[in-house]
């Protein structure tokens, strides 16, 4: 009887130990299995992200290549137009020459300061030599983004809404002149607009081309409200482009003023007279 009792105790202890060991082994196996599963899931996720990143980069490269090809095509067409135009001017002995703006694709590097999203550093690579302080236009999607200034061989961008971003514009179909700028109380405005003609809410603001920064006709924004001051009007403007992008077009207008001197007109008048042409309507500036 005593032996049966001892065997019963022994079997119970053995079963308990066996169950303990079995549970511990099972937990270890499950833990190892979970680790393997997590590793496989992470591996698959990383592969998927790498594939998506690859195809996304490939798509971006394709889009940039297409944009570059289109830009080159437009450049070639404009260059051909420029040559044809200048040849035409040569044929009529005109001193005026067509100077096409130069557009360069530039990339944003970083913000100049944290929490200031209106000042950016831009990648600057060019074979041309510019003086320190040279001002360029910045556009994206044929909309004005701001201006860029060369400072100590670094290109700093001042976007619409920055106090250093100023350029010449025209408002509406009647092309009232003004200066686009930032006002600390009103925001993005067009200042110093003549009193007449009266501008209206909803009129379109475009670059004037009079500041040697932009060429004419680039979209700036739309008039939201108007304020009359003594001697001029102020228009609060909603910018057409009010976000930071990774890429911009850098505009180098580089247009020399057209000068037609009295001497050149007199020479042309003499040549026309010698050819038997009427010169009575030839205007000579004073």
């Amino acid at each position: 009887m005593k032996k049966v009792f001892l065997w019963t105790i022994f079997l119970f202890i053995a079963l308990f130990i066996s169950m303990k060991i079995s549970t511990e082994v099972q937990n270890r196996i499950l833990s190892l299995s979970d680790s393997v599963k997590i590793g496989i899931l992470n591996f698959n996720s990383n592969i998927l992200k790498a594939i998506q990143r690859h195809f996304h980069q490939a798509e971006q490269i394709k889009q940039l290549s297409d944009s570059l090809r289109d830009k080159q095509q437009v450049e070639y067409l404009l260059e051909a137009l420029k040559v044809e135009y200048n040849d035409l001017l040569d044929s009529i002995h005109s001193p005026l020459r067509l100077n096409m703006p130069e557009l360069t694709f530039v990339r944003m590097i970083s913000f100049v300061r944290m929490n200031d999203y209106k000042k950016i550093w831009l990648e600057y690579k060019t074979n041309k030599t510019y003086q320190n302080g040279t001002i360029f236009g910045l556009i994206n999607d044929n909309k004005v983004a701001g201006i860029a200034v060369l400072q100590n061989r670094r290109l700093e961008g001042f976007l619409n809404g920055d106090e250093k971003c100023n350029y010449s514009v025209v408002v509406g179909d009647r092309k009232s002149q003004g200066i686009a700028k930032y006002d600390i109380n009103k925001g993005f405005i067009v200042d110093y607009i003549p009193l007449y003609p009266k501008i209206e809410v909803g009129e379109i603001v475009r670059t004037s081309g009079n500041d040697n920064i932009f060429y004419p006709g680039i979209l700036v924004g739309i008039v939201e409200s108007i304020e009359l001051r003594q001697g001029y009007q102020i228009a609060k403007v909603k910018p057409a482009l009010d976000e930071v992008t990774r890429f911009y077009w850098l505009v180098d207008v580089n247009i020399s003023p057209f000068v037609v001197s009295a001497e050149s007109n007199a020479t042309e008048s003499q040549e026309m007279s010698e050819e038997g042409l009427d010169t009575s309507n030839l205007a000579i500036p004073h």
Side-chain angles (χ1 to χ4, degrees):
M1 188 69 180
K2 187 176 181 180
K3 288 183 178 181
V4 174
F5 177 75
L6 291 175
W7 273 108
T8 301
I9 296 297
F10 175 75
L11 290 175
F12 178 78
I13 294 173
L15 181 61
F16 177 77
I17 294 173
S18 175
M19 290 178 62
K20 262 303 211 184
I21 294 175
S22 176
T23 302
E24 186 175 348
V25 170
Q26 185 179 9
N27 290 337
R28 288 182 178 272
I29 292 174
L30 290 175
S31 177
L32 179 61
S33 175
D34 290 342
S35 299
V36 172
K37 289 179 181 178
I38 292 172
I40 292 173
L41 290 174
N42 289 339
F43 180 72
N44 290 339
S45 177
N46 291 335
I47 290 178
L48 182 60
K49 288 180 180 179
I51 293 173
Q52 290 176 340
R53 186 165 57 248
H54 170 75
F55 283 108
H56 181 64
Q57 290 175 345
E59 182 64 23
Q60 279 190 324
I61 292 171
K62 182 179 181 301
Q63 291 177 356
L64 292 175
S65 299
D66 292 342
S67 298
L68 181 60
R69 184 184 64 249
D70 294 341
K71 173 182 176 290
Q72 289 174 339
Q73 182 181 14
V74 172
E75 283 183 345
Y76 297 151
L77 292 174
L78 288 177
E79 189 63 29
L81 176 63
K82 179 180 177 181
V83 172
E84 184 177 354
Y85 178 80
N86 287 334
D87 286 344
L88 177 62
L89 293 179
D90 286 336
S91 69
I92 61 175
H93 307 290
S94 173
L96 304 181
R97 288 296 178 267
L98 178 65
N99 292 309
M100 303 300 296
E102 181 177 316
L103 300 177
T104 306
F105 206 45
V106 295
R107 177 175 59 180
M108 172 188 165
I109 301 173
S110 67
F111 292 105
V112 175
R113 288 188 294 271
M114 295 297 295
N115 299 325
D116 186 351
Y117 303 113
K118 299 298 181 182
K119 292 184 177 69
I120 58 176
W121 290 118
L122 296 164
E123 189 175 23
Y124 175 66
K125 292 181 180 179
T126 180
N127 295 325
K128 297 180 67 175
T129 301
Y130 293 101
Q131 293 182 349
N132 198 42
T134 300
I135 302 175
F136 303 92
L138 275 181
I139 64 176
N140 181 276
D141 194 24
N142 204 29
K143 301 170 186 174
V144 175
I147 65 171
V149 182
L150 184 62
Q151 302 181 95
N152 300 320
R153 303 185 64 84
R154 299 186 72 188
L155 195 60
E156 185 173 2
F158 301 96
L159 304 181
N160 289 328
D162 185 84
E163 65 275 5
K164 291 186 178 180
C165 182
N166 302 278
Y167 48 90
S168 176
V169 298
V170 290
V171 182
D173 295 335
R174 289 169 291 187
K175 297 185 177 180
S176 300
Q177 300 282 336
I179 301 296
K181 57 184 287 189
Y182 173 74
D183 183 275
I184 191 169
N185 296 316
K186 299 179 178 64
F188 187 56
I189 64 170
V190 176
D191 207 350
Y192 307 115
I193 307 170
L195 281 177
Y196 300 99
K198 296 294 185 181
I199 59 174
E200 299 178 0
V201 173
E203 289 193 299
I204 302 298
V205 181
R206 299 183 184 275
T207 55
S208 68
N210 297 330
D211 49 15
N212 209 26
I213 299 175
F214 294 100
Y215 54 86
I218 310 174
L219 180 61
V220 175
I222 185 170
V223 175
E224 288 188 314
S225 62
I226 303 159
E227 180 181 338
L228 296 179
R229 289 289 182 89
Q230 188 173 2
Y232 59 93
Q233 306 175 81
I234 297 175
K236 189 176 186 306
V237 176
K238 179 180 179 180
L241 185 65
D242 195 24
E243 59 183 14
V244 182
T245 62
R246 292 185 59 194
F247 298 97
Y248 296 92
W249 289 104
L250 189 72
V251 181
D252 178 12
V253 179
N254 194 27
I255 297 178
S256 300
F258 294 148
V259 178
V260 183
S261 65
E263 180 181 355
S264 65
N265 275 302
T267 301
E268 290 182 12
S269 177
Q270 182 179 358
E271 290 175 352
M272 293 170 69
S273 297
E274 291 174 355
E275 295 174 1
L277 301 176
D278 182 15
T279 62
S280 59
N281 294 323
L282 182 63
I284 299 177
H286 298 283

